[in-house]
Structures are given as structure tokens and as C-alpha cells.
Amino acid sequence: MVGKLKQNLLLACLAISSLTVLYLGQHAMECHHQTAEERSFSGLLGNSRTGFRLQGVQHINNTVYHKDMPLVFIGGVPRSGTTLMRAMLDAHPDIRCGEETRVIPRILAMKQMWSRSSREKLRLDEAGVTDEVLDSAMQAFLLEIIVKHGEPATYFCNKDPFALKSLIYLAKIFPNAKFILMVRDGRASVHSMISRKVTIAGFDLTSYRDCLTKWNRAIETMFNQCLEAGVTKCMPVYYEQLVLHPEKWMKTVLKFLNIPWNQAVLHHEQMIGKAGGVSLSKVERSTDQVIKPVNLEALSKWVGKIPPDVIHDMPVIAPMLARLGYDPFANPPNYGKPDYKVLLNSKKDEPTV
């Protein structure tokens, strides 16, 4: 009974996505003959907050988008600095990330499930629902969500942490997309999850051992895909280094994204709630932290909080720590010396986790 219900839900989602593709295709054909109207519309796109002038773009509700646009995806294990990164990028006048959509990683997980089942794959192929059809539907569905859940912008960005579990697939269906993988000391990420009671599917928040095991599995999946995508497509950014040296790393990130530098990214807290600035969700658990300037308070909050038996077994529980360059035996670790401005911010602000 449950299996039948799941199958019906999957088919319903597939039908919705296919209808979206059909609608977009019809709309694109109509727009093909409206050259005068398109020239007029292009004139309206003169400033940096409106969109792209690309061949074959789709114009819906005064927003321009296309599968070949240079999308930005931010991901990583939750509590790894993904919200801070997206808030800093959101402060840039030409970039809009917005809140987590929550639906994007779910639809990607469904697509992954279809692909893994040989029986389901055969049934879909027999029904004419080929990989090409599904890819087109996924492109249309994801673009609708990314573009329409916030303000228009020159560059669109999505921040759903676990979406990067499908990084290689996203790179396939969005050939000009780039990916930022946020990396953080797993001990800090897990302590933040547990102490702040951040519910994450599959993570047992009563157990440091379980959460560190799940952290290791998740970051390994995303890091391997980042490496596979290559340095021109995916950049790992270490949360600790971003916090210690924000100007250096934001310049590096924007250069990687081929987006002009703007000083506003270093003062995201000043752009919160402003038009074209940083929009925050009232229900996301990181919101109360990113309203502050970049500071050091969260770096070593985990020290002294993890059970001794877990500390002893750390290299076995979380081997990705060493692979990512963290010392599994360092308590506390030495992440480096911060910039002077960050030190000043840390003195002004109250501690966070």
C-alpha cells in the first residue's frame, strides 16, 4: 500500500514537471516570432538587477532565464557556513540567492532514486519517459524555483545544502553552472547541529558518534563529486578560512564565479532586509547568526563538548577530517590567525554556536 502511494506520488511529480516543460516549450515558440517585443523587453533590462541577453531565452513574468545561464549552487553539510556564504553573495548588487527552497534537494533525490532502480528505469523508458525527457523536465522545474522564489538579478544562486549530493547531475543539465562546496570541521558542524537542535533527516541528534558518521558520509559524497567536476566548475571553501580572512576568500570566490568584485559582500549584515540585499527566512536556524558581521565565536565552540570515547575513535568515525586537512586529534585545533577587522567584529558581538 505504501509502495503504491509512493509510486503515485512520483508519477504525479513527473507529470507536473512534464507539463512545465510543455508550457515552457510552447511559450518559447510564441516568443520566437515576437522580435519587436523582445527588442523592447531587452531595453528594459538595462540595469544589473534584471537578467541576461541570451539566445533562446525565455521571458516569463518579466524574468529572463535559460539552462545555459551561469547559475551558482552553494552546498555542503548543514551547519557548515552555507548560509553565511549565501548571505555574503546576496549582499552583492548583482547576485540573488535567497532562502533555502527545500524542494530542490527533494526533487533531485527523487530523480536519483529513479536512476538507481533498473526496474523503474526500464518502465520509464518503455513509457517514453527517457533520460532526455526527465532532464528537460528537471531543468524547467529547477529554473522555475530558483528564478521565481525571489527578486530578479543578473546572477541567480541557489543554496540548498544537500543539493550538492547531485552535483555531477546538476553540472550536466546546467552546463555553465558553478558550485561552491562549503567545508567545515565536522566536529564543529555536528556540535552545532546537536546544541542548536537542528533536525536533519537521518541524523540522531542524541549521538555525536552517529552524527559524525553521517557527516563523514555526506561530505565524502559531495567532496568526491566536487573533485570529479574539476577546479573550473567546483570550488571547496573552508568555513574557518572564510571567517578568518573574509576579504581574501570572497575575492577568490567572485573571481572563480567570474563576477566583478563589490565591497558590499564584506558587510552583508548591513544589507539585510533591504531591496536587492539579503532576504532571511524566519524559520531557518542560521538566521540569528548571519545578522551579525563575520566573527570568530563559532569556530571552537565544540571543544570540550564531545564525549571522550568519540574523541578517541575520531580518526575511524570521521576519516574525512584528515582527508580535508583537519587534525582529528587536535583539541582545540589551530585554524590560523584572523584578520584585524574580524578580531574587532568578534569583540563587538556576543558568542554564537
Side-chain angles (χ1 to χ4, degrees):
M1 184 68 181
V2 175
K4 187 67 175 178
L5 178 59
K6 286 184 177 179
Q7 184 178 4
N8 290 337
L9 287 172
L10 292 175
L11 290 174
C13 290
L14 180 61
I16 291 171
S17 300
S18 298
L19 287 172
T20 302
V21 174
L22 179 61
Y23 168 76
L24 294 176
Q26 291 175 336
H27 192 86
M29 291 176 64
E30 293 170 1
C31 288
H32 181 71
H33 300 290
Q34 298 172 353
T35 54
E37 197 173 288
E38 287 184 351
R39 282 195 297 270
S40 175
F41 184 77
S42 294
L44 296 174
L45 301 180
N47 67 55
S48 62
R49 294 295 298 176
T50 46
F52 297 86
R53 298 177 178 83
L54 297 176
Q55 294 292 328
V57 296
Q58 297 176 17
H59 300 170
I60 298 179
N61 292 343
N62 294 333
T63 302
V64 181
Y65 57 97
H66 189 274
K67 72 177 180 65
D68 293 315
M69 66 201 305
L71 295 170
V72 179
F73 289 92
I74 302 169
V77 180
R79 313 306 301 168
S80 293
T82 56
T83 302
L84 175 61
M85 173 57 74
R86 84 88 172 165
M88 295 176 82
L89 287 179
D90 256 334
H92 194 294
D94 294 340
I95 304 172
R96 196 266 289 152
C97 300
E99 300 86 348
E100 292 180 18
T101 71
R102 297 181 62 82
V103 299
I104 286 179
R106 287 179 169 89
I107 194 70
L108 288 169
M110 289 170 62
K111 170 62 173 66
Q112 204 171 62
M113 185 171 62
W114 297 332
S115 300
R116 286 176 178 171
S117 170
S118 56
R119 178 180 294 181
E120 189 64 24
K121 178 74 167 59
L122 178 61
R123 289 174 175 172
L124 290 172
D125 286 342
E126 287 296 315
V129 186
T130 62
D131 286 341
E132 290 74 18
V133 172
L134 283 173
D135 289 350
S136 295
M138 291 294 289
Q139 287 168 344
F141 183 84
L142 298 183
L143 281 171
E144 283 282 299
I145 299 296
I146 292 170
V147 172
K148 290 190 173 182
H149 87 110
E151 296 180 349
T154 303
Y155 300 97
F156 288 100
C157 155
N158 167 255
K159 191 277 281 192
D160 281 297
F162 279 147
L164 262 60
K165 285 185 174 182
S166 300
L167 191 158
I168 294 300
Y169 178 68
L170 287 168
K172 172 190 172 186
I173 62 174
F174 298 118
N176 293 320
K178 292 198 173 187
F179 304 87
I180 298 173
L181 174 62
M182 293 302 299
V183 176
R184 185 184 185 186
D185 189 324
R187 296 164 292 191
S189 294
V190 165
H191 173 67
S192 184
M193 294 172 198
I194 291 175
S195 62
R196 294 177 66 86
K197 297 179 173 60
V198 179
T199 303
I200 302 170
F203 283 67
D204 179 2
L205 296 183
T206 66
S207 169
Y208 274 91
R209 185 178 293 269
D210 177 80
C211 287
L212 280 162
T213 301
K214 302 292 175 51
W215 170 86
N216 191 84
R217 189 180 305 160
I219 193 61
E220 182 177 25
T221 296
M222 290 184 273
F223 189 68
N224 285 344
Q225 290 191 51
C226 186
L227 294 180
E228 183 180 345
V231 295
T232 63
K233 298 288 290 181
C234 182
M235 172 184 283
V237 176
Y238 283 71
Y239 169 78
E240 294 84 7
Q241 298 309 310
L242 176 64
V243 168
L244 292 170
H245 313 292
E247 183 169 356
K248 171 187 174 181
W249 278 97
M250 288 310 294
K251 284 183 175 179
T252 302
V253 167
L254 289 175
K255 183 178 180 181
F256 167 71
L257 298 176
N258 297 316
I259 298 175
W261 169 252
N262 191 292
Q263 197 77 11
V265 299
L266 301 179
H267 305 285
H268 70 277
E269 74 282 357
Q270 298 176 9
M271 300 300 295
I272 293 172
K274 295 183 179 180
V278 183
S279 174
L280 295 177
S281 167
K282 294 178 181 178
V283 298
E284 284 185 33
R285 298 306 296 270
S286 299
T287 293
D288 64 333
Q289 294 174 279
V290 296
I291 61 175
K292 302 174 183 179
V294 174
N295 62 78
L296 305 173
E297 297 294 344
L299 285 185
S300 299
K301 282 287 183 179
W302 60 271
V303 176
K305 303 296 194 301
I306 301 176
D309 64 303
V310 177
I311 291 289
H312 181 270
D313 296 340
M314 193 65 69
V316 177
I317 297 171
M320 281 300 293
L321 283 173
R323 186 179 173 194
L324 293 169
Y326 297 102
D327 183 349
F329 295 108
N331 296 282
N334 180 11
Y335 296 125
K337 295 182 179 180
D339 295 342
Y340 180 67
K341 290 181 181 179
V342 177
L343 275 176
L344 291 179
N345 290 339
S346 300
K347 291 178 181 179
K348 294 177 185 177
D349 293 301
E350 296 179 2
T352 58
V353 178

